[in-house]
């Protein structure tokens, strides 16, 4: 097979994957145009992603476009947890006009904005996105529905625990017996966390870890604890009157179990960083990069 034929077949395959219908003659490459690349609209990138998600598209989801147009051509893609003002500015400076976020852009789960229409903070962010022509799409429900879960995959890879997970449940990690203090130091170092909150005993020996990044909710966390019976739970966040109180009561009743609260953002950020290596091969010619939104808190 000659070089032109192989390139032609490659472009045809990518074109079909992107949902394009383009006459083949316009796609023929020549040695005089070596830098010609496949282009994508925002919607075509979203469609490529959704093809990998079981059951997608969902009839109800928060994973919608928050700014920009689905028909705009993508000049670059940024993955992050939050489309903060800083992330928006950095994305624009890098030449990217499509930000894929895991969490809300406008301060509530559904990104409802009617209640914010006269708010100067909202207005500034919305106008900043419009000024730079940036599309923002949330990738939360779908990323968690990917098999394997995209957030878990990134977090487990970063922690180095991928080979220690239960084959049927990535939330269950079995490790050699290790003092809790060492597990905490390891998680803080790998996930870039400055401070954690702990209910339990730092000297406790732990083997069975229940990993619950993000905010699963108190009932879900407690139900999982009862099911899995871990030595320690590493979670993203938890209301103080729910899982922390459950763990305190369990310990006072004689159970050897501890709880480590990592913080929602940093407990999931690695999953959005891993998105870069997962998505890049699907959009040849478009640069995909990760810009950390970071942790907004300082500790005093």
């Amino acid at each position: 097979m000659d070089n032109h034929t192989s390139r032609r077949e490659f472009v045809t395959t990518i074109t079909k994957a992107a949902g394009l219908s383009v006459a083949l003659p316009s796609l023929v490459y020549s040695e005089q145009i070596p830098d010609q690349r496949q282009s994508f609209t925002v919607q075509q990138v979203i469609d490529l992603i959704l093809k990998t998600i079981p059951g997608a598209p969902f009839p109800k989801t928060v994973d919608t476009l928050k700014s920009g147009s689905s028909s705009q051509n993508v000049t670059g893609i940024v993955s992050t947890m939050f489309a903060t003002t800083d992330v928006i500015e950095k994305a624009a400076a890098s030449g990217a006009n499509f930000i894929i976020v895991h969490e809300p852009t406008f301060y509530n789960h559904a990104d409802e904005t009617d209640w914010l229409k006269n708010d100067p903070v909202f207005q500034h962010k919305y106008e900043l996105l419009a000024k730079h022509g940036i599309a923002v799409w949330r990738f939360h429900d779908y990323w968690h529905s990917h098999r394997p879960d995209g957030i878990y995959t990134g977090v487990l890879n970063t922690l180095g625990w991928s080979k220690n997970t239960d084959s049927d449940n990535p939330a269950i990690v079995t490790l050699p017996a290790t003092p809790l203090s060492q597990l905490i130091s390891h998680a803080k170092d790998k996930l870039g966390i400055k401070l954690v909150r702990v209910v339990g005993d730092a000297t406790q020996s732990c083997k069975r870890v229940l990993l619950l990044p993000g905010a699963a909710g108190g009932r879900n966390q407690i139900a999982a604890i009862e099911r899995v019976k871990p030595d320690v739970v590493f979670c993203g966040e938890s209301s103080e009157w729910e899982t922390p109180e459950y763990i305190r009561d369990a310990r006072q009743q004689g159970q050897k179990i501890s709880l480590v609260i990592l913080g929602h953002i940093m407990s999931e950020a690695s999953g959005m960083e891993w998105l870069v290596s997962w998505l890049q091969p699907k959009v040849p010619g478009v640069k995909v990069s990760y810009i950390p939104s970071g942790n907004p808190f300082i500790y005093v």
Side-chain angles (χ1 to χ4, degrees):
M1 181 181 297
D2 63 33
N3 197 36
H4 285 304
T5 302
S6 61
R7 289 179 180 178
R8 183 181 178 124
E9 290 182 349
F10 170 78
V11 174
T12 302
T13 301
I14 294 299
T15 302
K16 288 180 179 178
L20 295 170
S21 177
V22 183
L24 279 175
S26 64
L27 297 173
V28 175
Y29 282 77
S30 71
E31 297 305 321
Q32 286 73 40
I33 324 175
D35 294 327
Q36 188 173 347
R37 297 176 178 180
Q38 174 71 39
S39 63
F40 299 88
T41 65
V42 166
Q43 189 60 54
Q44 287 168 346
V45 174
I46 292 173
D47 289 344
L48 282 171
I49 292 173
L50 296 191
K51 285 181 180 179
T52 72
I53 310 299
F58 300 161
K60 185 177 181 180
T61 177
V62 295
D63 292 0
T64 58
L65 204 61
K66 313 303 179 181
S67 70
S69 168
S70 62
S71 62
Q72 68 189 62
N73 287 326
V74 175
T75 59
I77 300 172
V78 164
S79 172
T80 190
M81 280 291 288
F82 288 92
T84 65
T85 298
D86 184 56
V87 168
I88 294 167
E89 294 282 15
K90 288 179 178 177
S94 73
N97 69 344
F98 186 20
I99 301 178
I100 299 177
V101 298
H102 189 61
E103 299 297 2
T105 299
F106 299 121
Y107 325 117
N108 65 100
H109 185 57
D111 280 302
E112 296 168 340
T113 59
D114 287 349
W115 64 291
L116 289 168
K117 60 184 178 181
N118 296 319
D119 184 273
V121 175
F122 161 73
Q123 289 176 343
H124 177 82
K125 177 181 270 191
Y126 194 84
E127 290 167 4
L128 186 64
L129 289 165
K131 170 187 172 183
H132 293 299
I134 291 178
V136 175
W137 180 61
R138 190 172 180 192
F139 191 32
H140 180 274
D141 300 349
Y142 289 125
W143 201 210
H144 280 301
S145 297
H146 183 269
R147 292 294 174 263
D149 182 306
I151 294 296
Y152 268 102
T153 301
V155 174
L156 288 168
N157 286 348
T158 299
L159 289 169
W161 292 351
S162 298
K163 295 181 180 179
N164 302 94
T165 59
D166 185 288
S167 58
D168 297 321
N169 188 346
I172 303 172
V173 180
T174 303
L175 301 169
T178 308
L180 177 57
S181 59
Q182 289 186 24
L183 291 182
I184 291 172
S185 295
H186 175 78
K188 288 171 63 179
D189 177 61
K190 294 296 184 181
L191 299 178
I193 296 172
K194 294 180 181 180
L195 188 72
V196 300
R197 293 191 291 170
V198 180
V199 179
D201 177 7
T203 66
Q204 175 189 339
S205 179
C206 300
K207 293 178 65 176
R208 193 168 174 83
V209 177
L210 177 60
L211 182 64
L212 300 173
R219 291 192 179 192
N220 290 330
Q221 290 171 343
I222 292 168
I225 291 167
E226 173 57 25
R227 228 174 21 248
V228 173
K229 295 182 169 40
D231 299 314
V232 61
V233 182
F234 279 83
C235 74
E237 66 174 279
S238 181
S239 298
E240 292 183 0
W241 64 87
E242 296 179 330
T243 309
E245 284 302 311
Y246 177 87
I247 295 295
R248 177 156 67 170
D249 280 346
R251 290 186 57 78
Q252 290 178 353
Q253 292 168 22
Q255 293 188 37
K256 292 184 177 180
I257 183 172
S258 293
L259 171 69
V260 180
I261 301 178
L262 303 168
H264 190 140
I265 299 169
M266 302 311 292
S267 76
E268 291 193 312
S270 295
M272 293 308 287
E273 186 170 9
W274 183 68
L275 173 64
V276 173
S277 60
W278 178 85
L279 179 58
Q280 184 64 82
K282 296 173 174 54
V283 287
V286 176
K287 182 181 178 182
V288 184
S289 58
Y290 173 72
I291 297 179
S293 55
N295 185 347
F297 299 103
I298 60 172
Y299 303 95
V300 296

